[in-house]
Amino acid sequence: MSSVVGEPTVPTIPLNKLAPEAALRRLELAIVRRLEGFLQGDHLGLLPGPGSESNDARPYRAGEDDVRRIDWAVTARTTEAHVRDTVADRELEVWALLDVTPSMNWGTEGVTKRDLGIAAVATIGFLSQKMGDRFGGLVMRPDEMRRLPARSGRSALYGLLRRMLTEPIVPDHETGSLSLAAGIEELARTQRRRGLRVVVSDFLTPGDHELDPNVEPEWERAMRRLSVRNQVLAVEVVDRREIEFPDVGDMLIRDPETDFERYVNTADEATRQRMDAAAAAQRERIRIALRRAGVGHIQLRTDRDWVQDIARFVLAYRRVASMLHAPPQGVSR
């Protein structure tokens, strides 16, 4: 069966409305962790000229690479000329993980959670970009992870957003082996250079009906590991009707990722109150889990202005970011 509101077929937000740059021009997302080649709490962009920090070695390309950058030790071991790239002293690398599983297709306010998540990626991309900074993305489908390489510049960011918007929509009940926990683990495993990590999801696990905040969601441990080396921001995307059930009589409640479905009489006030209380407990459990993981947390709703919500979060974030991102005991910054 298809979703009650209909499965989306095209993006609900055009590219030119993803993130109004004029509203973001005076804001900057605070960076408080000491990242690779990055001064703690002070982000001014790249210094002129090549960087001084060594990076990975790669094969020499004649006519493109400076022979003075040849790494003779690697060249001797491989019998092929290699050069070692350098990384600019203040370059920041940002990676965003976007969850596009079927539960993200829901939306009753003219925009789906998936497209609101892309808008969040766009807004954070504009807030965190300075000269030379690189922004990359991972799109998590139920059966595979698609990597969008990290590049610098506004045009590269727009290209990444366009690819996210045109990513084929995952139909309901499509199965796969990837879960949110596995996606976060892959982000931590494949992107070894420390930086800013953004995880955009509704943080709902198929089949998980637990409401006790003392019981960890399956993705919490992976999120905690990711935050040990990186500054992490979790963007929770919510639709209004997931937490405020309307009085519309008999309504089909269904899970797009499992076979669960049930008719509920929403005209019964006691029933609505129990459902609202369960939804509130579910969101509170997510909030507490993200707080335990030591990551920044912002909740965006499809019925509100996401730019205003993110701007409000960024202004308040500066006051608590240094305490929130303090590393675990025994781990240095």
Side-chain angles (χ1 to χ4, degrees):
M1 299 176 65
S2 63
S3 300
V4 173
V5 294
E7 296 183 17
T9 56
V10 295
T12 52
I13 299 178
L15 182 63
N16 61 352
K17 292 186 178 180
L18 275 179
E21 296 184 46
L24 306 173
R25 197 166 292 145
R26 296 185 180 182
L27 295 175
E28 181 182 353
L29 189 61
I31 305 296
V32 297
R33 295 291 299 273
R34 185 172 181 82
L35 308 177
E36 299 285 354
F38 189 65
L39 300 180
Q40 175 183 351
D42 182 18
H43 188 205
L44 301 177
L46 285 175
L47 294 176
S52 58
E53 297 293 328
S54 295
N55 198 7
D56 296 333
R58 58 174 177 78
Y60 169 78
R61 293 193 292 262
E64 297 182 16
D65 295 323
D66 189 340
V67 294
R68 292 173 296 181
R69 290 167 51 199
I70 291 180
D71 189 318
W72 296 108
V74 177
T75 299
R77 288 197 303 269
T78 62
T79 68
E80 181 184 357
H82 278 69
V83 295
R84 185 169 294 278
D85 287 329
T86 55
V87 180
D89 294 339
R90 299 183 184 179
E91 183 184 54
L92 173 66
E93 191 164 284
V94 183
W95 281 89
L97 172 63
L98 175 67
D99 178 0
V100 297
T101 52
S103 66
M104 292 288 285
N105 294 336
W106 173 261
T108 62
E109 302 293 332
V111 58
T112 63
K113 293 194 295 181
R114 165 187 158 136
D115 288 343
L116 181 60
I118 298 175
V121 172
T123 306
I124 294 169
F126 289 125
L127 285 175
S128 60
Q129 272 219 332
K130 295 293 181 181
M131 182 177 62
D133 291 345
R134 300 195 300 169
F135 197 99
L138 294 174
V139 179
M140 192 191 81
R141 300 173 65 87
D143 55 344
E144 65 174 326
M145 186 79 78
R146 298 190 178 177
R147 183 177 183 272
L148 308 178
R151 295 189 174 92
S152 61
R154 289 293 174 91
S155 59
L157 177 59
Y158 275 116
L160 180 144
L161 297 173
R162 185 177 293 105
R163 290 185 62 182
M164 285 185 171
L165 280 174
T166 56
E167 178 73 19
I169 293 173
V170 180
D172 288 357
H173 304 300
E174 182 165 317
T175 59
S177 59
L178 270 181
S179 63
L180 180 59
I184 297 171
E185 289 282 7
E186 183 165 340
L187 173 62
R189 184 175 61 255
T190 58
Q191 309 307 325
R192 302 297 298 171
R193 177 177 168 81
R194 292 187 293 180
L196 177 63
R197 303 291 180 260
V198 184
V199 179
V200 182
S201 175
D202 54 11
F203 293 96
L204 299 178
T205 304
D208 183 5
H209 307 296
E210 182 62 58
L211 299 180
D212 185 356
N214 295 316
V215 179
E216 293 186 2
E218 68 170 9
W219 45 260
E220 181 180 338
R221 185 169 298 181
M223 187 72 82
R224 190 182 298 123
R225 280 196 289 265
L226 180 66
S227 66
V228 170
R229 287 176 51 84
N230 303 280
Q231 181 168 327
V232 182
L233 177 60
V235 180
E236 179 191 6
V237 189
V238 182
D239 185 78
R240 176 185 178 186
R241 294 309 178 189
E242 291 179 321
I243 54 179
E244 300 174 10
F245 290 87
D247 179 2
V248 293
D250 285 340
M251 181 172 67
L252 177 63
I253 304 296
R254 60 188 301 276
D255 186 341
E257 298 185 18
T258 66
D259 294 331
F260 175 85
E261 56 182 42
R262 179 176 300 173
Y263 278 98
V264 176
N265 181 17
T266 58
D268 183 5
E269 184 176 356
T271 299
R272 289 201 314 276
Q273 289 177 350
R274 289 196 300 270
M275 294 173 65
D276 289 348
Q282 184 184 55
R283 295 298 168 180
E284 179 67 9
R285 179 178 177 234
I286 292 172
R287 185 191 69 81
I288 293 174
L290 291 173
R291 184 174 182 178
R292 280 196 302 255
V295 305
H297 175 212
I298 177 173
Q299 185 185 86
L300 301 182
R301 291 176 46 157
T302 56
D303 59 330
R304 293 203 304 239
D305 182 352
W306 74 86
V307 177
Q308 184 177 354
D309 284 346
I310 293 180
R312 188 182 299 113
F313 167 81
V314 168
L315 294 175
Y317 183 68
R318 293 176 178 274
R319 296 194 295 267
V320 298
S322 58
M323 296 181 292
L324 177 66
H325 293 287
Q329 188 174 3
V331 178
S332 64
R333 283 183 179 274

